[in-house]
Amino acid sequence: MTEPTRVLFVCLGNICRSPAAEGVFLHLLAQRQLEDQFVVDSAGTGGWHTGRPADRRMQAAAAQRGLTLTSRARQLQLADLTSFDHILTMDDDNLAQVRGLSGELGSRADLARIEPLTRYCREHQAEAVPDPYYGGPEGFDRVLDLLFDACLGLVEHLRPSP
């Protein structure tokens, strides 16, 4: 039996985009009966919201799509860079911060692959998953549209061969 693939989603505060990405990815894995082949988590580059659930507006938008967001915010740790196989960031700032943190570990072979989640979008053209925190409800829906697209592409990319 092979080890599960470990995936970490990262945004700024870990209360909107990354917990939603975690929820979407878990939902897609469950639909494909692949839950046992992955370990999924989320984190923020900042620690302001540590221990808090996802933003209520994101929870509401996710619930309208049949998702329940259960994670609690946590800050990205140096150990995450070696305990996860893939770290997917939401925007260029998150990407730069994660890559900056990885620089503290040098060029180790066990470092996670760090890349933007939008790289896996198939339908949407997006450089980043925008932060909906200071906007209205439409921003949360837009984020979920992007996350479903990107996470579907990611599942297909990481899906183990039969």
Side-chain angles (χ1 to χ4, degrees):
M1 181 155 178
T2 61
E3 289 288 315
T5 301
R6 299 179 56 82
V7 178
L8 180 67
F9 297 99
V10 176
C11 70
L12 180 62
N14 194 214
I15 59 168
C16 290
R17 297 171 292 172
S18 57
E22 177 184 352
V24 168
F25 195 73
L26 288 169
H27 174 78
L28 294 171
L29 292 176
Q31 285 181 331
R32 289 156 181 76
Q33 299 178 337
L34 295 172
E35 307 101 300
D36 62 334
Q37 296 177 34
F38 290 86
V39 172
V40 184
D41 198 2
S42 63
T45 57
W48 314 279
H49 305 290
T50 297
R52 294 186 186 153
D55 183 280
R56 61 177 172 72
R57 297 166 297 170
M58 184 54 83
Q59 288 188 50
Q64 289 181 338
R65 298 182 190 217
L67 304 174
T68 303
L69 306 181
T70 60
S71 66
R72 295 282 178 167
R74 71 177 188 86
Q75 188 170 10
L76 180 70
Q77 303 295 316
L78 194 60
D80 291 329
L81 298 167
T82 55
S83 62
F84 285 91
D85 303 306
H86 300 272
I87 298 178
L88 292 306
T89 61
M90 301 299 139
D91 62 34
D92 288 341
D93 288 338
N94 308 146
L95 182 64
Q97 288 195 336
V98 175
R99 285 187 174 157
L101 188 61
S102 75
E104 294 181 29
L105 296 174
S107 58
R108 293 173 47 168
D110 61 345
L111 283 178
R113 180 176 178 160
I114 303 163
E115 59 188 337
L117 177 60
T118 53
R119 177 171 289 168
Y120 294 96
C121 282
R122 295 175 169 185
E123 295 179 20
H124 296 87
Q125 296 295 318
E127 294 293 316
V129 178
D131 191 344
Y133 189 79
Y134 293 106
E138 65 283 344
F140 292 89
D141 287 328
R142 169 78 175 139
V143 164
L144 287 168
D145 289 344
L146 288 171
L147 293 178
F148 267 96
D149 184 17
C151 285
L152 182 58
L154 182 62
V155 167
E156 292 305 317
H157 177 77
L158 296 178
R159 181 182 209 150
S161 302

